[in-house]
Amino acid sequence: LIGDRSCPVRRSVYVYVYAVCLGRRSLASFPSKSHPSPVILPPPSMFGMGDGQTESKHHKTPPSPCLLRRHLARLKSSPYETLLLDGGTGEELFLRGVPDDRKIWSATAIVHERYHAILEEVHRSFIRSGSQVVTTNSYGIVPGVGFNDGKEVIHLTSLAGEIARKSVFRGSGDIDKEEQQALVLGSLGPLVESYRPDLIMDHDEGVLHFAFPIEGLYKHVDMYIIETSSTTKEAFQAIDALAFFNRSPSRAPRPLLVSFTLKQNGKIRSDESVVDAIPAIIKYCDERDVEIVGVLFNCCEPEAIDKALVEIQRNKHIHGFLHHPPSAGNDEPEHDEKNSEHNTKVLLGAYANRLMPVQEDWTISGSTSPNHFRNDLSPERYWSDFVRRWCLCHGTGDEECLSSLQRRGGLQIVGGCCGITPGHINVLRNGLSKSNTEKR
């Protein structure tokens, strides 16, 4: 019955029957006043794959909560601590011979087993370059490109998680003594299109579809990340799906990162301001008991991230929601008294792409060729002109940055998106390492 996702009547009957069986009429127990109660989700065991388990020949070692908590404690302890993400997995796959299928894009490397080894090597190449995190290649396993069957989505996203999990371990011959080198982020991509807030699913349908990758990835990831969100509305869908998934007492909930894609003016593509979106996301997660760790910006030009960071720096009312707000000078920023003691605070981060600006009406379903890369964002320039200032200072030149180490850009989780290579990540790693040495 659930296999026919195109039939709303069958779906509604299933939801009702499931709700009756559990004695739960809705998710109204969540105290949200900002959105109608979402639809009841199917149980995780509906496909015989409870708690995200699928049969696999890949790596079995579970995530390490200790490694994750050490990283989070380090980041929260000092504004100068950073977490280095990976770069653009999809483009690296294509450079290494995986076909650029304009329909399912990077999901080709999951669907076809012959590309699994290439995907694992892409993950490992980022780790060798300095990444402390790899992101699962599950971004494109979504209904918008034809993955509508829940069982298939769970299976494919589980494969993506397993390949990523395998890549972060340094083999020792004894599986119980293997050392985890990096965290694994479970990517939850936009369900329809990456840059189109006008094309998102309605809330209940979106919640239902986000449930499948959440289940498939669960056993293999340290954190989830909602990527390239073009509106808070779609992020809310994923948060509701995760909140429901977390209700099982047999699962240890995974923390969450939420990342927005920006327009050239520094606003989210839905025209929402970043200073409005950050507290809205925190509030929504708090109401649903979802642990939100950070808010990031990705898959946009680094110049757009610059503008968003300026807006965050200038709007003091947002600083109370941040562990380490941007600082415009040697003094600590003045927090808005109303929000300065807000219980939930988040880290800030960003990972830009190397694409030419994406037009507002662009869709992958309507594209016949890849987007063009800009030729002015070398690894050295990405570090010196952007990431260095995001992390260490918000000045306009090297001399100013070096002379004022108290000046902070406020971003602590950094990396790259489409077109950002292991070479870029290596330069970021070296730059951050050198800066930390100078600081001491």
Side-chain angles (χ1 to χ4, degrees), residues 131-392:
S131 294
Q132 297 164 295
V133 176
V134 296
T135 308
T136 61
N137 187 41
S138 52
Y139 181 94
I141 305 172
V142 293
V145 298
F147 295 104
N148 292 293
D149 180 76
K151 183 175 182 179
E152 180 186 30
V153 171
I154 291 174
H155 172 66
L156 293 175
T157 54
S158 182
L159 279 177
E162 290 164 353
I163 294 168
R165 170 67 39 197
K166 183 180 179 183
S167 74
V168 303
F169 280 86
R170 182 184 293 114
S172 64
D174 183 345
I175 195 168
D176 294 324
K177 296 181 180 179
E178 288 188 354
E179 179 184 353
Q180 183 174 341
Q181 303 176 77
L183 300 173
V184 177
L185 287 184
S187 174
L188 304 173
L191 296 175
V192 182
E193 288 284 350
S194 292
Y195 311 109
R196 297 294 297 271
D198 56 318
L199 297 180
I200 67 170
M201 293 182 174
D202 66 66
H203 186 82
D204 289 354
E205 187 75 354
V207 173
L208 200 57
H209 278 284
F210 272 119
F212 300 120
I214 286 172
E215 180 179 342
L217 291 167
Y218 173 74
K219 283 287 186 179
H220 317 292
V221 302
D222 298 283
M223 283 194 292
Y224 292 103
I225 181 167
I226 301 169
E227 292 198 275
T228 322
S229 187
S230 60
T231 169
T232 55
K233 290 181 179 179
E234 187 166 47
F236 291 161
Q237 296 173 10
I239 292 167
D240 275 332
L242 182 57
F244 188 88
F245 187 78
N246 287 345
R247 291 178 72 174
S248 169
S250 65
R251 304 188 196 100
R254 303 286 188 257
L256 177 68
L257 298 172
V258 177
S259 190
F260 293 102
T261 179
L262 306 175
K263 301 200 297 186
Q264 289 180 276
N265 63 4
K267 291 186 180 295
I268 298 171
R269 289 185 180 267
S270 57
D271 269 331
E272 295 169 276
S273 165
V274 294
V275 298
D276 293 331
I278 291 172
I281 288 292
I282 292 173
K283 179 175 183 288
Y284 206 84
C285 287
D286 280 352
E287 290 175 342
R288 285 147 181 81
D289 201 24
V290 169
E291 182 185 359
I292 176 74
V293 168
V295 175
L296 296 80
F297 311 112
N298 81 294
C299 214
C300 52
E301 309 94 289
E303 293 86 354
I305 295 169
D306 275 347
K307 293 174 183 176
L309 187 55
V310 168
E311 185 177 11
I312 293 170
Q313 180 185 340
R314 290 176 177 172
N315 285 269
K316 300 293 193 272
H317 75 275
I318 194 68
H319 291 181
F321 293 94
L322 308 176
H323 282 292
H324 303 296
S327 173
N330 290 329
D331 297 328
E332 289 295 308
E334 297 178 8
H335 291 189
D336 182 288
E337 185 175 342
K338 179 180 177 182
N339 294 323
S340 61
E341 299 303 322
H342 193 272
N343 289 333
T344 301
K345 301 180 190 297
V346 296
L347 302 162
L348 289 178
Y351 51 114
N353 64 26
R354 194 164 56 88
L355 298 174
M356 298 292 288
V358 177
Q359 300 303 309
E360 292 190 14
D361 61 350
W362 184 88
T363 62
I364 191 169
S365 60
S367 68
T368 57
S369 60
N371 288 320
H372 295 293
F373 288 117
R374 52 195 289 181
N375 56 15
D376 63 344
L377 200 62
S378 66
E380 291 74 20
R381 184 174 180 236
Y382 185 45
W383 161 249
S384 63
D385 288 8
F386 298 104
V387 177
R388 185 178 194 182
R389 292 189 292 108
W390 295 345
C391 295
L392 303 177

